[in-house]
Amino acid sequence: MPDIRPLPEELQKNAITELGEVPERIAEDLNVLKAWIRQKPHLKACMEDQFLIQFLRGSKYSLEKAKEKLNNFYTLSAKSPHLRSMEDVDDPTFRKIHRTGCLILLPTPLMEHGPRIIVEQVSYEPYEFTNTEISRYIWTMAEIVLQSDPYACIEGLVIVSDLSKVTVQHLRQLTPKMILEVMRFSEKALPLRIKRLLILNCPSLVKTLLNFALSCCSEKLRKRIHISNGNNIEKFADVFPKKYLPRDFGGENSSLENACREYEKVIDEHRDYFKRNAECGIDERLRRKKN
C-alpha cells in the first residue's frame, strides 16, 4: 500500500473527477514514476510516496508532465540557490522570517472545502533579510504545503498579497533575473496550482515590476491574477467572500498572529523530512546527453 495520507471524502471525489486520480491505481502509478527516477543517474529525488504523488496530482496524472515537473523541480533549484528549500527548518533565520508573518496559511479553506488561502505581506524591514533568505523560506513552505495540505494539493491555492508596506528599498533587492526564475519555477516545477492571486494596495511603483512578471507567465496564469490599487476586497466578493479573510482584514478566518503561531507546529512535523532529503538534487556530471 502507498504510504500516503487518506483524503477527506469530498476531496477524494474531486481528485477523481478533476485530476483523473484512480485510487486503485495509485501504487502502480507511483512505481512507474520511481522506476523512471532510478533510470536517471543525474537525478537524486525524494522517493517518498507523499512527495511523489503530488507531482502526479499536480500534472493531472500525465506521467510525462509529472516527470518533467520533477526534473525541473531539482534542476532549476540547483541552478538558483534562492529556489532551494532549507535543510534545517530550525535555522534561526528561517524561524525569524516565519514569525514576521510575511506568509500565512489560513486555517479554513475558501468556501470551506476549496483552495487553501495564503496571505502574503511585506512585514519586515528592507535589508533585514536577503532576497535569497526570503525566497528559500517561501519555497520551503511550499514544499511543506505539498507534503501536508490536502486542500492545497487537490484544490490549489488562493493567494492574497497585501503590498501596502512595500518600499523602494524592498524593490531594489529584486532583479529581473530573479523574477524570471521565480515565475518559471512556479509554472514549470512546483506541482501546486495557483487558482487565483489577489493583489491589494498595489502602489504605482510596483506596477512596472508586476507588468514584467506578468509578461513572463502564461496566459492561463495571467487571467487568474487580479490587482487592486486599494484595500477593496469587496470587488472580488463573487470569487472571494470577505469572511474568509483573517480578522486583521475584517474577515472571520482566524487572526494572522494565531495562524502564524499554529503553523509552527506543522513546520516542526517536517523537521525530519528535510533532514532525510537534504542530499536530494541534481548531479549534472551524470546527466545523459541527448544524441
Side-chain angles (χ1 to χ4, degrees):
M1 289 290 292
D3 185 15
I4 59 174
R5 297 182 183 90
L7 294 173
E9 183 179 355
E10 188 68 28
L11 287 183
Q12 184 62 77
K13 290 178 182 177
N14 290 348
I16 293 170
T17 58
E18 296 180 18
L19 305 182
E21 182 164 295
V22 180
E24 299 79 13
R25 207 180 64 205
I26 287 176
E28 179 185 347
D29 291 334
L30 286 170
N31 286 336
V32 171
L33 188 55
K34 289 176 183 178
W36 173 81
I37 294 170
R38 294 188 186 100
Q39 293 170 0
K40 302 298 177 183
H42 71 286
L43 180 60
K44 187 175 182 181
C46 171
M47 299 289 272
E48 297 177 21
D49 291 346
Q50 192 65 51
F51 175 80
L52 291 177
I53 194 172
Q54 188 52 33
F55 284 85
L56 292 169
R57 288 170 171 167
S59 304
K60 294 190 175 181
Y61 279 84
S62 165
L63 185 59
E64 294 309 310
K65 288 182 180 179
K67 292 176 184 177
E68 183 180 6
K69 275 188 180 290
L70 187 61
N71 185 65
N72 286 341
F73 185 86
Y74 289 109
T75 299
L76 298 179
S77 60
K79 293 178 179 178
S80 304
H82 68 92
L83 297 176
R84 295 176 191 163
S85 299
M86 300 292 299
E87 297 174 3
D88 182 8
V89 294
D90 290 318
D91 177 83
T93 300
F94 176 86
R95 293 290 179 152
K96 186 177 179 181
I97 292 172
H98 178 71
R99 289 164 188 162
T100 67
C102 63
L103 190 154
I104 305 290
L105 284 89
L106 301 183
T108 303
L110 187 63
M111 306 305 185
E112 310 300 325
H113 301 289
R116 178 64 64 194
I117 304 165
I118 295 179
V119 175
E120 294 180 337
Q121 53 184 352
V122 180
S123 52
Y124 49 88
E125 295 298 321
Y127 310 116
E128 186 177 359
F129 307 105
T130 67
N131 270 350
T132 295
E133 288 170 338
I134 294 292
S135 185
R136 291 192 70 183
Y137 163 77
I138 291 171
W139 299 120
T140 303
M141 291 290 282
E143 195 162 343
I144 291 172
V145 169
L146 70 86
Q147 285 276 2
S148 63
D149 193 327
Y151 293 95
C153 291
I154 303 302
E155 299 293 341
L157 303 171
V158 169
I159 302 172
V160 179
S161 185
D162 178 16
L163 303 183
S164 59
K165 297 181 181 178
V166 171
T167 67
V168 173
Q169 287 73 27
H170 287 110
L171 298 179
R172 282 176 179 164
Q173 298 183 60
L174 294 173
T175 66
K177 181 175 183 289
M178 176 175 276
I179 293 171
L180 185 61
E181 289 171 339
V182 167
M183 298 303 294
R184 188 181 181 200
F185 188 80
S186 298
E187 289 203 80
K188 303 294 185 183
L190 191 67
L192 292 169
R193 294 178 295 159
I194 298 176
K195 288 294 191 69
R196 193 164 279 108
L197 170 57
L198 309 179
I199 300 175
L200 305 178
N201 298 308
C202 182
S204 57
L205 58 89
V206 177
K207 286 187 177 178
T208 301
L209 273 178
L210 272 178
N211 289 334
F212 174 74
L214 290 173
S215 71
C216 300
C217 64
S218 66
E219 178 67 22
K220 182 179 180 180
L221 182 57
R222 281 198 293 270
K223 290 180 178 179
R224 297 178 179 181
I225 299 174
H226 309 276
I227 302 172
S228 172
N229 294 333
N231 196 28
N232 184 19
I233 192 70
E234 283 80 5
K235 70 181 293 186
F236 307 124
D238 57 329
V239 295
F240 195 106
K242 191 174 181 178
K243 63 177 281 189
Y244 292 102
L245 284 173
R247 290 197 290 269
D248 313 62
F249 288 21
E252 304 170 13
N253 202 352
S254 183
S255 69
L256 291 176
E257 182 181 358
N258 286 342
C260 181
R261 184 172 57 250
E262 286 299 309
Y263 206 79
E264 291 230 31
K265 299 174 185 176
V266 182
I267 295 173
D268 291 342
E269 291 170 0
H270 289 80
R271 181 181 288 116
D272 292 340
Y273 161 80
F274 285 101
K275 290 180 179 179
R276 286 196 307 272
N277 294 292
E279 300 302 317
C280 291
I282 290 284
D283 188 342
E284 290 292 349
R285 297 169 300 177
L286 301 177
R287 190 189 291 270
R288 291 170 179 161
K289 305 299 182 182
K290 292 182 180 180
N291 291 332

